[in-house]
């Protein structure tokens, strides 16, 4: 696609790409730039820009991009051309992809809306959280967990591992850059990615050949609309804002949602002498976290190598029954499909029990049906019973935010913000668009995506470099993913 572009353009692209990694350059540009859109190279580099290049398009952006001409999206203050891919999101998926690309000699830029890497883990998870799966299933590519980490690392250990990973691969995301929109400009043949700074100002446009969505399946909290919500007298808190049961000590708390988070929050509340009840609206598979001396997840992976999924499911359910008893008696009915088949078909993750079931058996946690409505200090359930509660914790999950910022209709579903193509084919779209970490298979799935994406982009990157042999030397000094 780029083969027709002029030599000068390649020089410009490289300079701009280098500058895109340089915060000082960006700051300089911001202070220099006027309210009208200006391309970085036109002010800082003497390289001429051909009419078809992003730099010329930025100064006449209204003619080359529908987004730029829209009154709702005024021209950005700064335009930065990135030679490699732009990755949106600095969670485990974005970091893994940047590292894989870096090892292949492809520089990338990560744009992250918050002020740190792995913001889900650092800012939106509860204190007692540990990895749900054993550490060997949560490794990012090319860096195992330290040997002295436990099988299920704590949240702090996992964050430390990710920080070390970013350091090892010299990954330096551009923080406080929330992507507000990303659109493929077919006239230009590039993606135009617009970000806004922390306070909603400082708009920047990144122009790139490849765009990698790594904003995660858990980008936005799902808060259900419950009748009478405004009337309820106590706090209503989503798990993304729940840190520990300490603030609920002695209180009667209703936890809505019986996934891994809801179950664990109930346990945490018990441990802080609160009195939790758990709303269970749906069927759920609860499995012991370990069985037959192995992690349930690891054992399942092993068995699936030899046995059909339904047989593995049956084995898991028999052992679960022996270890946990009949969960239906506790108000936790099992779905008709087995846990692995259900996960494969719907993405619904089985709950790995870390002690909550024992608390339900002992009566420390009570199970309640769906909510009908909230009242001032009470909750009415669909079975007609009304009970007093002092607080509500919503363990109602998260959703992808891709449809909000990605102006594209083919690759991602508008309904759930996930790739339309089922696993393992959802990672690649059209026009240099990729998705990492949307497989409903946790970090293991993200790692698979990251490796595939890096291989795919590397092929294209090398092919383009071959085509432009005279500039090989000047195109490739960018070895690190975001080094200045
Ligand atoms: C409580 C909990 C426990 C979990 N435990 C495990 C486990 O044990 N093992 C496992 O494999 N998985 C686990 N998961 C799943 C987990 O979410 C993922 O494995 C992992 O965090 C996914 O990484 P990610 O990078 O895809 O998404 P995220 O970690 O969500 O990172 C996405 C990043 O994108 C940023 N972002 C979002 N929108 C924008 C935007 N518009 N512009 C710029 N940046 C943006 C976010 O700020 C965030 O930093 C758990 C999830 C939760 C909620």
């Amino acid at each position: 696609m780029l083969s027709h572009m002029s030599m000068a353009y390649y020089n410009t692209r490289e300079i701009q790409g280098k500058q895109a990694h340089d915060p000082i350059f960006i700051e300089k540009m911001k202070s220099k730039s006027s309210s009208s859109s200006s391309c970085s190279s036109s002010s800082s580099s003497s390289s001429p820009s051909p009419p078809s290049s992003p730099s010329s398009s930025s100064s006449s952006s209204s003619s080359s991009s529908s987004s730029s001409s829209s009154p709702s999206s005024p021209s950005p203050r700064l335009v930065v051309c990135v030679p490699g891919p732009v990755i949106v999101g600095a969670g485990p998926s974005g970091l893994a992809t940047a590292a894989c690309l870096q090892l292949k000699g492809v520089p990338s830029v990560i744009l992250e809306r918050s002020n740190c890497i792995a913001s889900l883990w650092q800012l939106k998870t509860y204190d007692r959280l540990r990895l749900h799966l054993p550490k060997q299933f949560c490794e990012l590519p090319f860096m195992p967990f330290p040997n002295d980490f436990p099988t299920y690392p704590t949240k702090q250990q996992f964050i430390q591992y990710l920080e070390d990973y970013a350091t090892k691969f010299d990954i330096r995301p551009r923080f406080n850059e929330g992507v507000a929109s990303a659109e493929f400009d077919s006239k230009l043949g590039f993606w135009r990615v617009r970000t806004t700074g922390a306070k909603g100002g400082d708009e920047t446009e990144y122009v790139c050949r490849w765009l990698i969505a790594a904003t995660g399946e858990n980008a936005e909290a799902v808060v259900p609309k419950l009748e009478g919500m405004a009337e309820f007298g106590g706090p209503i808190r989503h798990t993304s804002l729940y840190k520990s049961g300490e603030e609920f000590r002695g209180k009667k708390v209703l936890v809505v949602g019986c996934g891994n988070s809801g179950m664990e929050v109930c346990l945490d509340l018990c441990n802080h002498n609160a009195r939790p009840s758990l709303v269970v609206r749906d069927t759920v598979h609860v499995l012991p976290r370990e069985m037959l001396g192995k992690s349930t997840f690891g054992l399942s992976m092993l068995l699936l190598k030899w046995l059909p999924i339904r047989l593995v499911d049956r084995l898991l359910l028999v052992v679960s029954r022996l270890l946990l008893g009949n969960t239906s008696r506790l108000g936790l009915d099992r779905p008709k499909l087995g846990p692995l088949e259900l996960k494969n078909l719907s993405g619904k993750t089985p709950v790995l029990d870390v002690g909550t079931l024992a608390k339900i058996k002992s009566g420390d946690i009570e199970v309640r049906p769906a909510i009908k409505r909230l009242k001032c200090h009470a909750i009415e359930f669909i079975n007609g019973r009304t009970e007093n509660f002092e607080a509500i914790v919503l363990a109602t999950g998260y959703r992808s935010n891709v449809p909000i910022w990605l102006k594209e209709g083919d690759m991602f579903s508008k309904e759930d913000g996930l790739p339309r193509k089922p696993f393992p084919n959802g990672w690649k779209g059209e026009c240099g668009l990729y998705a990492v970490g949307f497989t409903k298979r946790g970090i293991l799935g993200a790692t698979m995506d990251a490796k595939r994406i890096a291989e795919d982009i590397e092929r294209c990157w090398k092919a383009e470099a071959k085509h432009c042999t005279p500039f090989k030397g000047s195109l490739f000094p960018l070895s690190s993913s975001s080094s200045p």
Side-chain angles (χ1 to χ4, degrees):
M1 176 196 289
L2 295 173
S3 56
H4 66 280
M5 289 191 176
S6 73
M7 291 165 145
Y9 170 62
Y10 273 100
N11 277 334
T12 307
R13 200 173 91 159
E14 183 203 359
I15 292 161
Q16 289 167 337
K18 278 184 174 166
Q19 288 163 336
H21 302 288
D22 178 357
I24 297 164
F25 169 75
I26 300 278
E27 289 316 315
K28 271 190 225 147
M29 283 307 299
K30 275 183 183 160
S31 57
K32 268 194 207 170
S33 65
S34 66
S35 58
S36 66
S37 165
S38 68
C39 187
S40 48
S41 73
S42 55
S43 321
S44 66
S45 155
S46 56
S47 308
S49 303
S52 57
S53 78
S55 40
S56 64
S57 80
S58 62
S59 54
S60 58
S61 51
S62 57
S63 63
S64 63
S65 161
S66 56
S67 69
S68 310
S69 60
S70 150
S72 61
S73 52
S75 296
R77 288 173 63 82
L78 172 68
V79 178
V80 179
C81 299
V82 179
V86 163
I87 301 171
V88 187
S93 299
L95 298 178
T97 312
C100 290
L101 285 164
Q102 204 245 36
L103 290 178
K104 295 194 175 295
V106 183
S108 60
V109 169
I110 303 188
L111 305 174
E112 166 59 49
R113 69 179 169 185
S114 68
N115 61 358
C116 59
I117 62 160
S119 68
L120 176 72
W121 289 86
Q122 303 224 45
L123 309 176
K124 298 182 181 174
T125 51
Y126 40 90
D127 296 344
R128 64 156 281 143
L129 180 65
R130 285 174 173 267
L131 285 179
H132 291 148
L133 305 179
K135 61 180 181 180
Q136 67 269 31
F137 300 109
C138 300
E139 277 172 11
L140 298 190
F142 312 112
M143 190 173 128
F145 279 95
N147 285 335
D148 60 349
F149 273 26
T151 307
Y152 298 95
T154 62
K155 155 180 149 172
Q156 281 315 327
Q157 286 170 323
F158 184 52
I159 292 167
Q160 187 56 54
Y161 166 78
L162 295 174
E163 295 280 8
D164 292 346
Y165 190 83
T167 305
K168 175 171 174 168
F169 293 101
D170 195 20
I171 300 169
R172 279 175 274 160
R174 299 196 55 77
F175 294 121
N176 300 313
E177 294 239 32
V179 170
S181 77
E183 188 165 17
F184 188 70
D185 188 323
S186 51
K187 282 190 186 154
L188 211 57
F190 281 82
W191 286 92
R192 307 178 73 150
V193 183
R194 286 188 175 212
T195 65
T196 42
K199 287 167 197 147
D202 299 339
E203 193 175 285
T204 304
E205 183 173 83
Y206 291 84
V207 179
C208 57
R209 168 87 169 71
W210 300 279
L211 178 66
I212 303 170
T215 43
E217 297 157 348
N218 301 314
E220 310 298 333
V222 171
V223 176
K225 284 198 178 85
L226 299 168
E227 196 187 329
M229 225 162 168
E231 272 175 55
F232 188 71
I236 303 179
R237 189 149 311 160
H238 189 271
T239 42
S240 55
L241 299 172
Y242 176 97
K243 292 295 164 209
S244 111
E246 188 54 43
E247 67 167 307
F248 299 102
R249 195 172 278 280
K251 292 201 168 128
K252 205 159 163 2
V253 185
L254 187 70
V255 177
V256 183
C258 62
N260 276 302
S261 295
M263 293 286 235
E264 203 168 344
V265 163
C266 275
L267 185 62
D268 192 52
L269 287 164
C270 280
N271 292 342
H272 287 90
N273 293 325
R275 289 170 293 142
S277 297
L278 178 67
V279 169
V280 180
R281 288 181 308 176
D282 213 350
T283 54
V284 58
H285 276 302
V286 183
L287 306 175
R289 191 170 67 167
E290 259 143 32
M291 45 174 75
L292 311 173
K294 276 196 166 295
S295 78
T296 301
F297 185 80
L299 187 68
S300 309
M301 294 289 113
L302 197 69
L303 292 174
L304 281 173
K305 286 186 183 161
W306 296 292
L307 303 175
I309 193 165
R310 289 198 176 167
L311 191 54
V312 179
D313 268 344
R314 223 172 287 166
L315 285 170
L316 292 179
L317 291 175
V318 168
V319 180
S320 295
R321 176 80 180 228
L322 289 172
L323 295 177
L324 303 177
N326 182 0
T327 57
S328 295
R329 286 205 182 152
L330 305 171
L332 302 164
D333 290 327
R334 289 192 183 277
K336 285 204 174 77
L337 287 178
L340 300 180
E341 206 179 358
L342 186 68
K343 173 77 188 163
N344 260 2
L345 290 175
S346 72
K348 197 173 172 193
T349 308
V351 172
L352 295 171
D353 182 49
V354 287
T356 311
L357 224 53
K359 295 282 185 193
I360 296 177
K361 279 181 195 163
S362 65
D364 291 318
I365 300 169
E366 297 183 356
V367 172
R368 296 283 176 265
I371 294 172
K372 187 169 177 207
R373 70 181 316 263
L374 309 186
K375 297 177 176 174
C376 187
H377 293 291
I379 294 167
E380 186 182 340
F381 296 96
I382 53 164
N383 62 2
R385 181 176 168 173
T386 298
E387 214 176 319
N388 289 348
F389 281 96
E390 294 162 276
I392 298 174
V393 177
L394 298 171
T396 40
Y398 295 87
R399 71 162 81 89
S400 157
N401 66 8
V402 173
I404 298 172
W405 59 267
L406 184 63
K407 311 298 169 207
E408 180 272 352
D410 293 335
M411 184 177 182
F412 284 87
S413 149
K414 288 263 179 282
E415 281 73 53
D416 60 11
L418 303 178
R420 291 180 200 275
K421 283 190 206 155
F423 178 81
N425 301 317
W427 59 279
K428 187 173 178 182
E430 299 295 322
C431 307
L433 178 62
Y434 296 90
V436 53
F438 296 91
T439 63
K440 300 227 166 177
R441 281 162 178 79
I443 291 157
L444 205 58
T447 294
M448 289 167 72
D449 286 342
K451 287 181 176 169
R452 285 189 179 126
I453 292 170
E455 275 163 21
D456 205 59
I457 293 179
E458 182 199 23
R459 265 194 297 275
C460 206
W461 180 266
K462 282 191 173 154
E464 282 185 11
K466 216 171 167 185
H467 214 82
C468 308
T469 318
F471 296 95
K472 203 173 172 184
S474 63
L475 267 173
F476 283 92
L478 290 165
S479 57
S480 132
S481 67
S482 58
S483 54

